[in-house]
């Protein structure tokens, strides 16, 4: 991995923030979980961890094996200087555990959900190990140049809310606590795919920013979360395939619904394959040109903050 995937959007669009593209599984081999990427199946873990015996393969994260991530962050930080924020990127313990337990991607999550009842001690031990490893990895990224960290609990939304409170939230909260001791000034963003039923619970993790996916109404999300926490999002990625006038309307709607402070304008998920580059450029142009209407907002909005 190099910094090219981060530099190219920076060179083309000059956003307010850039992120090193890295798979959430990148750190796994550094703590004892090797995997392969197959063309059709995607990530494949040959020895899933589902028992106490399997836990023996785990060890403390070896950050030297992730030096390429640190080097990439340093290069990107130098490239953008003080003109943009550099974002780090990690997966949440539950989401990482779904791959380790299931042996790869899954649509049902039946094995790991079953473990919540049949082998809870094994799953808790695995999640605790991942929590420490991910916290160490975050601190390493910050020390390498990341201004901000995004935690992706991509598959947290596959849990019923009461199970997320038990099997995901405590471990994210612990990561936030561990990172705060070493990097107290580093903002942390939390995103869950399909998070409409989790917003208030997400706030309880102690993060600084809640990322909303496109299925959540921004006005409703802001009302539920309050004004004491920032929000990120949440234009539907599919809108970038629409006429540019429709994209403009949607950007303006989202910004207006988010309120006059504490909002990072972004998509509600990643840029879809095949998205026209013209639409991406238009997204930036509209965002950077927006001003709040003083007649409908209490504070002037000087410049929309955009992360891509």
């Amino acid at each position: 991995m190099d910094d090219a995937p981060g530099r190219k959007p920076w060179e083309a669009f000059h956003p307010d923030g850039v992120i090193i593209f890295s798979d959430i599984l990148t750190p796994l081999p550094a703590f004892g979980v090797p995997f392969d990427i197959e063309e059709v199946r995607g990530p494949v873990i040959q020895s899933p961890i589902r028992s106490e015996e399997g836990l023996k393969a785990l060890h403390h994260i070896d950050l030297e094996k992730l030096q390429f991530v640190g080097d990439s962050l340093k290069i990107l930080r130098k490239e953008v200087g003080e003109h943009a924020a550099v974002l780090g990127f990690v997966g949440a313990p539950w989401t990482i555990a779904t791959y380790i337990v299931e042996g790869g991607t899954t649509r049902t999550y039946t094995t790991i959900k079953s473990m919540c009842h049949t082998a809870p001690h094994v799953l808790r031990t695995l999640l605790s190990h991942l929590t420490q490893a991910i916290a160490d990895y975050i601190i390493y990224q910050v020390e390498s140049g990341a201004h901000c960290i995004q935690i992706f609990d991509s598959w947290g939304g596959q849990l019923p809310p009461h199970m997320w409170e038990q099997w995901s939230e405590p471990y994210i909260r612990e990561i936030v606590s561990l990172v705060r001791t070493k990097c107290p000034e580093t903002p942390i963003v939390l995103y869950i795919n399909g998070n409409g039923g989790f917003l208030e619970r997400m706030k309880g993790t102690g993060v600084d920013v809640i990322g909303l996916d496109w299925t959540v109404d921004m006005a409703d999300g802001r009302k539920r979360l309050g004004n004491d926490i920032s929000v990120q999002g949440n234009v539907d990625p599919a809108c970038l395939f629409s006429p540019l006038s429709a994209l403009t309307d949607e950007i303006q709607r989202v910004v207006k619904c988010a309120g006059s402070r504490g909002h990072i304008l972004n998509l509600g998920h990643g840029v879809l394959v095949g998205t026209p580059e013209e639409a991406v450029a238009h997204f930036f142009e509209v965002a950077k040109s927006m001003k709040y209407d003083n007649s409908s907002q209490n504070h002037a909005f000087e410049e929309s903050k955009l992360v891509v």
Side-chain angles (χ1 to χ4, degrees):
M1 183 180 71
D2 63 24
D3 65 314
R7 283 191 290 109
K8 289 179 180 178
W10 165 250
E11 293 167 352
F13 309 117
H14 287 277
D16 300 301
V18 292
I19 189 167
I20 286 285
F21 178 78
S22 173
D23 195 282
I24 58 174
L25 302 184
T26 295
L28 266 62
F31 54 78
V33 185
F35 66 94
D36 299 310
I37 300 291
E38 297 185 2
E39 187 173 347
V40 176
R41 296 175 61 192
V44 176
I45 296 171
Q46 299 294 345
S47 300
I49 296 177
R50 300 169 181 169
S51 65
E52 292 184 3
E53 184 66 25
L55 292 170
K56 295 178 181 179
L58 300 174
H59 55 73
H60 291 297
I61 190 167
D62 183 356
L63 294 172
E64 290 186 1
K65 292 183 178 180
L66 297 168
Q67 183 178 344
F68 62 95
V69 176
D71 290 345
S72 297
L73 285 166
K74 291 173 184 176
I75 294 170
L76 187 58
R77 177 73 177 264
K78 182 178 180 180
E79 178 79 15
V80 304
E82 298 302 317
H83 300 290
V86 174
L87 282 71
F89 178 105
V90 297
W94 168 265
T95 289
I96 298 295
T98 65
Y99 292 94
I100 295 174
V101 171
E102 299 283 348
T105 57
T106 178
R107 294 183 178 181
T108 60
Y109 305 89
T110 51
T111 303
I112 190 168
K113 286 185 177 181
S114 176
M115 278 185 68
C116 294
H117 307 286
T118 60
H121 59 294
V122 174
L123 187 53
R124 289 192 186 99
T125 302
L126 173 60
L127 291 168
S128 295
H129 186 91
L130 293 174
T131 296
Q132 184 62 59
I134 292 167
D136 290 344
Y137 186 38
I138 288 175
I139 293 167
Y140 173 69
Q141 291 188 52
V142 173
E143 292 174 344
S144 297
H147 294 97
C148 173
I149 295 293
Q150 296 199 72
I151 300 174
F152 287 82
D153 195 9
S154 304
W155 310 130
Q158 297 296 321
L159 286 168
H162 73 281
M163 289 188 69
W164 185 83
E165 287 181 328
Q166 182 177 359
W167 294 103
S168 186
E169 181 182 4
Y171 303 98
I172 296 173
R173 191 165 56 242
E174 178 65 14
I175 288 173
V176 173
S177 176
L178 291 169
V179 172
R180 291 273 190 259
T181 62
K182 294 288 187 69
C183 312
E185 302 300 320
T186 301
I188 301 175
V189 184
L190 175 60
Y191 175 85
I192 298 176
N193 194 29
N195 59 12
F198 297 84
L199 296 185
E200 295 83 357
R201 294 171 173 84
M202 292 171 72
K203 189 174 180 180
T205 60
V207 297
D208 304 283
V209 184
I210 301 294
L212 306 183
D213 79 1
W214 74 96
T215 66
V216 178
D217 181 78
M218 177 58 78
D220 182 55
R222 172 59 87 186
K223 181 179 179 180
R224 289 168 59 187
L225 289 168
N227 293 317
D228 58 339
I229 190 167
S230 297
V231 293
Q232 177 175 289
N234 70 339
V235 175
D236 184 349
C239 278
L240 275 72
F241 290 85
S242 303
L244 297 184
S245 59
L247 176 58
T248 298
D249 290 344
E250 180 61 10
I251 294 170
Q252 292 175 341
R253 184 194 68 81
V254 168
V255 170
K256 181 178 179 180
C257 290
S260 59
R261 58 183 299 176
H263 175 221
I264 302 171
L265 178 62
N266 200 350
L267 298 180
H269 201 269
V271 177
L272 298 173
V273 175
T275 297
E277 187 170 328
E278 176 190 15
V280 178
H282 185 73
F283 188 100
F284 282 92
E285 291 166 4
V286 173
K288 292 183 175 183
S289 68
M290 289 188 66
K291 302 287 183 180
Y292 269 109
D293 181 355
N294 288 330
S295 65
S296 62
Q297 300 290 341
N298 293 327
H299 302 280
F301 183 72
E302 295 179 354
E303 182 177 291
S304 178
K305 293 299 181 183
L306 177 65
V307 173
V308 72

